Coordinates of all heavy atoms in Angstrom, one line a residue:
D4 N 2.2 8.7 1.5 CA 3.3 9.5 1.8 C 3.8 9.3 3.2 O 2.9 9.3 4.1 CB 3.0 11.0 1.6 CG 2.8 11.3 0.1 OD1 3.4 10.7 -0.7 OD2 2.1 12.3 -0.2
Y5 N 5.1 9.2 3.5 CA 5.6 9.0 4.8 C 6.9 9.7 5.0 O 7.6 10.0 4.0 CB 5.7 7.5 5.2 CG 6.9 6.9 4.5 CD1 8.2 6.8 5.2 CD2 6.9 6.4 3.2 CE1 9.3 6.2 4.5 CE2 8.0 5.9 2.6 CZ 9.1 5.8 3.2 OH 10.2 5.2 2.6
E6 N 7.3 9.9 6.2 CA 8.7 10.4 6.5 C 9.4 9.3 7.3 O 8.8 8.8 8.3 CB 8.6 11.7 7.3 CG 9.9 12.3 7.6 CD 9.8 13.6 8.3 OE1 8.9 14.4 8.0 OE2 10.6 13.9 9.2
C7 N 10.6 9.0 6.9 CA 11.3 7.9 7.6 C 11.6 8.3 9.0 O 12.1 9.4 9.3 CB 12.6 7.7 6.8 SG 13.6 6.4 7.6
D8 N 11.3 7.5 10.0 CA 11.6 7.7 11.4 C 13.1 7.4 11.8 O 13.5 7.9 12.8 CB 10.7 6.9 12.3 CG 9.3 7.5 12.2 OD1 9.1 8.6 12.6 OD2 8.4 6.7 11.8
A9 N 13.8 6.6 11.0 CA 15.2 6.3 11.4 C 16.1 7.4 11.0 O 17.0 7.8 11.8 CB 15.6 5.0 10.7
Q10 N 16.0 7.9 9.8 CA 16.8 9.0 9.2 C 18.3 8.8 9.6 O 18.9 9.7 10.2 CB 16.3 10.3 9.7 CG 14.9 10.6 9.1 CD 14.5 12.0 9.1 OE1 15.3 12.9 9.3 NE2 13.3 12.2 8.7
I11 N 18.9 7.7 9.2 CA 20.3 7.4 9.4 C 21.1 8.3 8.4 O 20.9 8.4 7.2 CB 20.6 6.0 9.1 CG1 19.9 5.1 10.1 CG2 22.1 5.7 9.2 CD1 19.9 3.6 9.8
D12 N 22.1 9.1 9.0 CA 22.9 10.0 8.2 C 23.6 9.3 7.0 O 24.0 8.2 7.1 CB 24.0 10.6 9.1 CG 23.4 11.6 10.1 OD1 22.3 12.1 9.9 OD2 24.1 11.8 11.1
D13 N 23.6 10.0 5.9 CA 24.3 9.5 4.6 C 23.6 8.3 4.0 O 24.2 7.7 3.1 CB 25.8 9.3 4.9 CG 26.5 10.5 5.3 OD1 26.2 11.7 4.9 OD2 27.4 10.4 6.2
V14 N 22.5 7.9 4.5 CA 21.8 6.7 4.0 C 20.4 6.9 3.6 O 19.9 6.5 2.6 CB 21.9 5.5 5.0 CG1 21.1 4.3 4.6 CG2 23.3 5.1 5.3
C15 N 19.7 7.7 4.5 CA 18.2 7.8 4.4 C 17.7 8.4 3.2 O 18.2 9.4 2.6 CB 17.8 8.7 5.6 SG 16.0 8.7 5.9
D16 N 16.5 7.9 2.7 CA 15.8 8.4 1.6 C 14.9 9.6 2.1 O 14.2 10.2 1.3 CB 14.9 7.3 0.9 CG 15.7 6.2 0.4 OD1 16.9 6.4 0.1 OD2 15.2 5.1 0.4
R17 N 14.7 9.7 3.4 CA 13.9 10.8 4.0 C 12.4 10.5 3.9 O 11.6 11.1 4.6 CB 14.2 12.2 3.6 CG 15.6 12.6 3.8 CD 15.9 12.8 5.2 NE 17.4 13.1 5.4 CZ 18.1 12.7 6.4 NH1 17.6 12.0 7.4 NH2 19.4 13.0 6.5
G18 N 12.0 9.6 3.1 CA 10.6 9.4 2.9 C 10.2 8.9 1.5 O 11.1 8.6 0.8
G19 N 9.0 8.9 1.2 CA 8.6 8.5 -0.1 C 7.1 8.0 -0.1 O 6.3 8.6 0.7
D20 N 6.8 7.0 -0.9 CA 5.4 6.6 -0.9 C 5.2 5.1 -0.5 O 4.1 4.7 -0.3 CB 4.7 6.9 -2.2 CG 5.4 6.2 -3.4 OD1 6.4 5.5 -3.2 OD2 4.9 6.3 -4.5
V21 N 6.3 4.4 -0.3 CA 6.2 3.0 0.1 C 7.4 2.7 1.0 O 8.5 2.5 0.6 CB 6.3 2.0 -1.1 CG1 6.2 0.6 -0.6 CG2 5.2 2.3 -2.1
P22 N 7.1 2.6 2.4 CA 8.2 2.3 3.3 C 8.6 0.9 3.3 O 7.8 0.0 2.8 CB 7.6 2.7 4.7 CG 6.1 2.5 4.5 CD 5.8 2.9 3.0
A23 N 9.8 0.5 3.7 CA 10.2 -0.9 3.8 C 9.6 -1.5 5.0 O 9.3 -2.7 5.0 CB 11.7 -0.9 3.8
I24 N 9.6 -0.8 6.1 CA 9.0 -1.3 7.4 C 8.0 -0.3 7.9 O 8.3 0.9 8.0 CB 10.1 -1.5 8.4 CG1 11.2 -2.5 7.9 CG2 9.6 -2.0 9.7 CD1 12.4 -2.7 8.7
A25 N 6.9 -0.8 8.3 CA 5.9 0.1 9.0 C 5.3 -0.7 10.1 O 5.0 -1.9 10.0 CB 4.8 0.5 8.0
G26 N 5.1 -0.1 11.3 CA 4.5 -0.8 12.4 C 4.1 0.2 13.5 O 4.2 1.4 13.4
Q27 N 3.6 -0.4 14.6 CA 3.2 0.4 15.8 C 3.9 -0.3 17.0 O 4.3 -1.4 17.0 CB 1.7 0.3 16.0 CG 0.9 1.1 14.9 CD -0.5 1.1 15.3 OE1 -1.1 0.1 15.7 NE2 -1.2 2.2 15.0
F28 N 4.0 0.5 18.0 CA 4.6 0.0 19.3 C 3.6 -0.9 20.0 O 2.4 -0.7 20.0 CB 5.0 1.2 20.2 CG 6.0 2.1 19.7 CD1 5.7 3.4 19.3 CD2 7.3 1.7 19.5 CE1 6.6 4.3 18.8 CE2 8.3 2.6 19.0 CZ 7.9 3.8 18.6
R29 N 4.2 -2.0 20.5 CA 3.4 -3.0 21.2 C 3.0 -2.4 22.6 O 3.9 -2.0 23.4 CB 4.2 -4.3 21.3 CG 3.4 -5.4 21.9 CD 4.2 -6.7 21.8 NE 3.5 -7.8 22.4 CZ 3.9 -8.3 23.6 NH1 4.9 -7.8 24.2 NH2 3.2 -9.3 24.1
E30 N 1.8 -2.4 23.0 CA 1.3 -1.8 24.2 C 2.0 -2.5 25.5 O 2.4 -1.8 26.4 CB -0.2 -1.9 24.4 CG -0.7 -1.2 25.6 CD -2.2 -1.0 25.6 OE1 -2.9 -1.4 24.6 OE2 -2.8 -0.5 26.6
A31 N 2.1 -3.8 25.5 CA 2.7 -4.4 26.7 C 4.1 -4.0 26.9 O 4.6 -3.8 28.0 CB 2.6 -6.0 26.5
T32 N 4.9 -3.9 25.8 CA 6.3 -3.5 25.9 C 6.4 -2.0 26.2 O 7.2 -1.6 27.1 CB 7.0 -3.7 24.5 OG1 6.9 -5.1 24.2 CG2 8.5 -3.3 24.6
W33 N 5.5 -1.2 25.7 CA 5.5 0.2 25.9 C 5.2 0.6 27.4 O 5.8 1.5 27.9 CB 4.3 0.8 25.0 CG 4.3 2.3 25.0 CD1 3.5 3.1 25.9 CD2 5.1 3.2 24.2 NE1 3.8 4.4 25.6 CE2 4.7 4.5 24.6 CE3 6.0 3.0 23.2 CZ2 5.2 5.6 24.0 CZ3 6.5 4.1 22.6 CH2 6.1 5.4 23.0
L34 N 4.3 -0.2 28.0 CA 3.9 0.1 29.4 C 4.8 -0.6 30.4 O 4.8 -0.1 31.6 CB 2.5 -0.3 29.6 CG 1.4 0.4 28.7 CD1 0.1 -0.1 28.9 CD2 1.5 1.9 29.0
T35 N 5.5 -1.6 30.1 CA 6.2 -2.4 31.1 C 7.7 -2.5 30.9 O 8.4 -3.1 31.7 CB 5.6 -3.8 31.2 OG1 5.9 -4.5 30.0 CG2 4.1 -3.8 31.5
D36 N 8.2 -1.9 29.9 CA 9.7 -2.1 29.6 C 10.4 -0.8 29.5 O 9.7 0.3 29.1 CB 9.8 -2.9 28.3 CG 11.2 -3.4 28.0 OD1 12.0 -2.6 27.4 OD2 11.4 -4.5 28.4
E37 N 11.6 -0.7 29.8 CA 12.4 0.5 29.6 C 12.3 1.1 28.2 O 12.4 2.3 28.0 CB 13.9 0.2 30.0 CG 14.8 1.4 29.9 CD 16.2 1.1 30.2 OE1 16.6 0.0 30.5 OE2 17.0 2.1 30.2
F38 N 12.2 0.2 27.2 CA 12.0 0.6 25.8 C 10.9 1.7 25.7 O 11.1 2.7 25.0 CB 11.7 -0.6 25.0 CG 11.4 -0.3 23.5 CD1 12.4 0.0 22.6 CD2 10.1 -0.2 23.1 CE1 12.1 0.3 21.3 CE2 9.8 0.1 21.8 CZ 10.8 0.4 20.9
G39 N 9.8 1.4 26.3 CA 8.7 2.4 26.2 C 9.1 3.8 26.7 O 8.8 4.8 26.1
A40 N 9.8 3.8 27.8 CA 10.2 5.1 28.4 C 11.2 5.8 27.5 O 11.1 7.0 27.3 CB 10.8 4.8 29.8
L41 N 12.1 5.0 26.9 CA 13.1 5.6 25.9 C 12.4 6.2 24.7 O 12.7 7.3 24.2 CB 14.1 4.5 25.5 CG 15.1 4.0 26.6 CD1 15.8 2.8 26.1 CD2 16.0 5.2 27.0
M42 N 11.4 5.5 24.2 CA 10.7 6.0 23.0 C 9.8 7.2 23.4 O 9.7 8.1 22.6 CB 9.8 4.9 22.4 CG 10.6 3.7 21.8 SD 11.6 4.2 20.4 CE 13.2 4.4 21.2
Q43 N 9.2 7.2 24.6 CA 8.5 8.4 25.0 C 9.4 9.6 25.1 O 9.1 10.7 24.7 CB 7.8 8.1 26.3 CG 6.7 7.1 26.2 CD 6.1 6.7 27.6 OE1 5.7 7.6 28.3 NE2 6.0 5.4 27.8
D44 N 10.6 9.4 25.7 CA 11.6 10.4 25.7 C 12.0 11.0 24.4 O 12.4 12.1 24.2 CB 12.9 10.0 26.5 CG 12.6 9.8 28.0 OD1 11.6 10.2 28.5 OD2 13.5 9.1 28.6
A45 N 11.9 10.1 23.4 CA 12.3 10.5 22.0 C 11.1 11.2 21.3 O 11.2 11.6 20.1 CB 12.7 9.3 21.2
G46 N 10.0 11.3 22.0 CA 8.8 12.0 21.4 C 7.7 11.1 20.8 O 6.8 11.6 20.2
Y47 N 7.9 9.8 20.9 CA 6.9 8.9 20.3 C 5.8 8.7 21.3 O 6.0 8.8 22.5 CB 7.5 7.5 19.9 CG 8.4 7.6 18.8 CD1 9.8 7.7 19.0 CD2 7.9 7.7 17.5 CE1 10.7 7.8 17.9 CE2 8.8 7.7 16.4 CZ 10.2 7.8 16.6 OH 11.0 7.9 15.6
E48 N 4.6 8.3 20.8 CA 3.4 7.9 21.7 C 3.0 6.5 21.3 O 3.2 6.1 20.2 CB 2.3 8.9 21.5 CG 2.7 10.3 21.9 CD 1.5 11.3 21.7 OE1 0.4 10.9 21.4 OE2 1.8 12.5 21.8
L49 N 2.3 5.9 22.3 CA 1.8 4.6 22.0 C 0.8 4.7 20.9 O 0.0 5.6 20.7 CB 1.0 4.1 23.3 CG 0.4 2.7 23.2 CD1 1.4 1.7 23.0 CD2 -0.4 2.4 24.5
H50 N 0.9 3.7 20.0 CA 0.1 3.6 18.8 C 0.5 4.5 17.6 O -0.2 4.6 16.6 CB -1.4 3.8 19.0 CG -2.0 2.8 20.1 ND1 -1.9 1.5 19.9 CD2 -2.5 3.0 21.3 CE1 -2.4 0.9 21.0 NE2 -2.8 1.8 21.8
D51 N 1.6 5.2 17.8 CA 2.2 6.0 16.7 C 2.5 5.0 15.6 O 3.0 3.9 15.9 CB 3.4 6.7 17.1 CG 3.2 8.1 17.7 OD1 2.0 8.5 17.7 OD2 4.2 8.7 18.2
A52 N 2.3 5.4 14.3 CA 2.8 4.6 13.2 C 4.3 5.0 13.0 O 4.7 6.2 13.0 CB 2.1 4.9 11.9

Side-chain angles (χ1 to χ4, degrees):
D4 290 333
Y5 75 94
E6 183 176 322
C7 181
D8 287 298
Q10 296 199 7
I11 298 171
D12 290 337
D13 300 323
V14 173
C15 188
D16 301 332
R17 301 289 176 217
D20 61 357
V21 181
I24 300 172
Q27 291 183 320
F28 297 111
R29 186 171 177 255
E30 187 169 354
T32 303
W33 187 265
L34 298 174
T35 62
D36 194 271
E37 181 183 2
F38 172 81
L41 292 170
M42 293 297 95
Q43 290 173 54
D44 290 346
Y47 292 100
E48 296 181 12
L49 182 60
H50 304 300
D51 275 352

